[in-house]
Amino acid sequence: MVGAVVVREGEVVGEGFHARLGGPHAEVVALAQAGERSRGSTVYVTLEPCSHFGRTPPCADALLEAQVARLVACHGDPNPEVAGAGFERLRGAGVDVEVGGLAEEALRLNLPFILRHSLGRPAVTLKWAMSLDGRIATVAGDSQWISGEQGRRNSLWLREEHDAILVGSTTALADDPRLNRRLGVATGPFHRVVLDRRLRLSPACQMLTLEGPVLVYTEQPSGVRQRDLEAAGAEVIRLGPGEVGPAAVLEDLGRRGIQSLLVEGGGEIHAAFVTAGLYDRVVVDCAPLLVGGDKAPGPMRGPGFPTLEEAPRLESLTAVACGEDILLEGFRSGCLQGLLSKLGS
């Protein structure tokens, strides 16, 4: 998601954004709107202009052809086909290039793209809904619905923003979720992923009645259940003993070109990603409910962290009203600054 603004003599003369894959880039749209007024202008852009022929010609060439005087970019492009070459091309032609303003804000826009090119894995968002006292269900297992109507719609929007969604087999068996997109906004495949070490998923589950890829990761050897799941439309990926976890799964998803993963639980799955440090963003819908119960489940299970010093903290935490709920969002400590340090200037 890239935006560009052309300014000449203190006046905005052109604006543009990258509207769709394969369409004209932000700079090209903004320059076309500015026309002749692009000459001698300053162009502000959220990402380093591309310098290679991909689905479209190089934006760096378009900027030079328009005879802009100055470029201000939020940060560099980690794509190896660019990675500083766009800035170098412009500087070599005499354009004044400045990098770094609003870098973190721009990074958040394109976190999946930047993270995959920087670290080789999808960006991971952990998401759950909980009561004010930290329960995701009652002692009897009642969880529908903890979040309010607006909170549930926000959860559906999160699916539109991600390439894949992941749950554990316990959640899949207990809730029999569809895990599909329902708002009709995003295009392209939406992968539904189940971590199912013992291969317990039913071939008759709801998610296999819907179109779209379903990936089931297991350590069980090939057998009748695998054949039944594959006949129902799932792709079963067998990993080695103890390998059905965040690291191996993210590596495989990255090879498949998946840039963003929404993890919706349950508690053991959330804990596995947090313990491994393989998450980037946490989104929590906190509802004004007091559920209670010693055995009512929380959003993270497992052994936990023995001391507060060892427990990971989130940074850039925000809280906004979402209907009657409060939506909390934060990033893994060091995530944003660590990525910015990898981007060229």
Side-chain angles (χ1 to χ4, degrees):
M1 292 187 282
V2 182
V5 176
V6 183
V7 175
R8 182 172 174 179
E9 296 177 351
E11 178 188 359
V12 174
V13 295
E15 297 176 313
F17 66 94
H18 186 203
R20 62 179 178 84
L21 187 67
H25 286 189
E27 299 94 320
V28 173
V29 176
L31 290 171
Q33 188 180 105
E36 288 296 317
R37 292 176 294 178
S38 298
R39 185 179 293 113
S41 67
T42 294
V43 176
Y44 297 86
V45 65
T46 53
L47 183 70
E48 175 183 3
C50 62
S51 55
H52 66 295
F53 282 88
R55 292 182 177 88
T56 62
C59 290
D61 288 358
L63 291 164
L64 293 178
E65 185 176 341
Q67 299 180 38
V68 305
R70 180 170 174 249
L71 178 89
V72 180
C74 295
H75 56 68
D77 187 336
N79 184 344
E81 294 185 285
V82 185
F87 293 148
E88 184 178 346
R89 174 101 170 84
L90 294 169
R91 285 176 174 135
V95 176
D96 180 20
V97 175
E98 179 184 330
V99 184
L102 300 177
E104 184 174 314
E105 290 86 345
L107 172 60
R108 294 188 195 189
L109 287 176
N110 288 310
L111 185 62
F113 167 78
I114 291 165
L115 200 146
R116 181 166 176 264
H117 279 293
S118 299
L119 300 181
R121 65 164 175 83
V124 176
T125 299
L126 307 182
K127 179 265 173 187
W128 60 79
M130 70 179 188
S131 63
L132 194 61
D133 58 337
R135 268 67 168 187
I136 62 172
T138 68
V139 291
D142 185 13
S143 63
Q144 297 184 355
W145 300 100
I146 284 181
S147 54
E149 184 177 348
Q150 265 189 256
R152 295 196 296 276
R153 186 166 181 82
N154 182 74
S155 294
L156 294 178
W157 270 108
L158 283 174
R159 295 184 185 185
E160 301 288 335
E161 297 171 5
H162 288 77
D163 297 336
I165 187 170
L166 180 149
V167 297
S169 58
T170 299
T171 297
L173 289 171
D175 298 342
D176 191 18
R178 290 174 288 172
L179 300 182
N180 60 327
R181 288 174 175 155
R182 300 171 202 172
L183 301 182
V185 177
T187 59
F190 183 58
H191 290 72
R192 289 159 294 162
V193 181
V194 181
L195 302 194
D196 190 6
R197 183 172 55 84
R198 290 179 283 170
L199 206 58
R200 299 184 295 161
L201 189 68
S202 169
C205 67
Q206 285 199 91
M207 71 179 79
L208 289 174
T209 67
L210 305 173
E211 291 186 4
V214 175
L215 308 178
V216 182
Y217 291 88
T218 187
E219 62 181 47
Q220 292 297 304
S222 178
V224 174
R225 178 54 64 94
Q226 177 173 337
R227 292 192 290 272
D228 289 346
L229 285 169
E230 290 174 339
E235 179 181 349
V236 179
I237 302 101
R238 188 156 61 91
L239 302 174
E243 293 183 2
V244 181
V249 170
L250 289 177
E251 183 179 352
D252 185 67
L253 294 178
R255 285 196 296 265
R256 295 170 184 267
I258 292 172
Q259 289 194 150
S260 56
L261 174 67
L262 180 64
V263 178
E264 287 203 356
E268 295 284 355
I269 298 297
H270 287 144
F273 277 86
V274 172
T275 301
L278 293 173
Y279 68 102
D280 306 289
R281 182 170 65 140
V282 177
V283 177
V284 178
D285 185 310
C286 188
L289 294 172
L290 298 173
V291 173
D294 290 341
K295 296 184 179 180
M300 279 183 55
R301 303 188 70 176
F305 296 91
T307 67
L308 293 178
E309 185 177 351
E310 294 172 81
R313 291 184 179 272
L314 300 180
E315 62 185 15
S316 301
L317 187 68
T318 59
V320 297
C322 186
E324 62 182 15
D325 302 347
I326 297 295
L327 196 65
L328 304 173
E329 179 179 339
F331 294 84
R332 175 175 52 82
S333 180
C335 170
L336 301 177
Q337 290 304 313
L339 289 172
L340 286 174
S341 68
K342 295 177 180 293
L343 299 177
S345 59

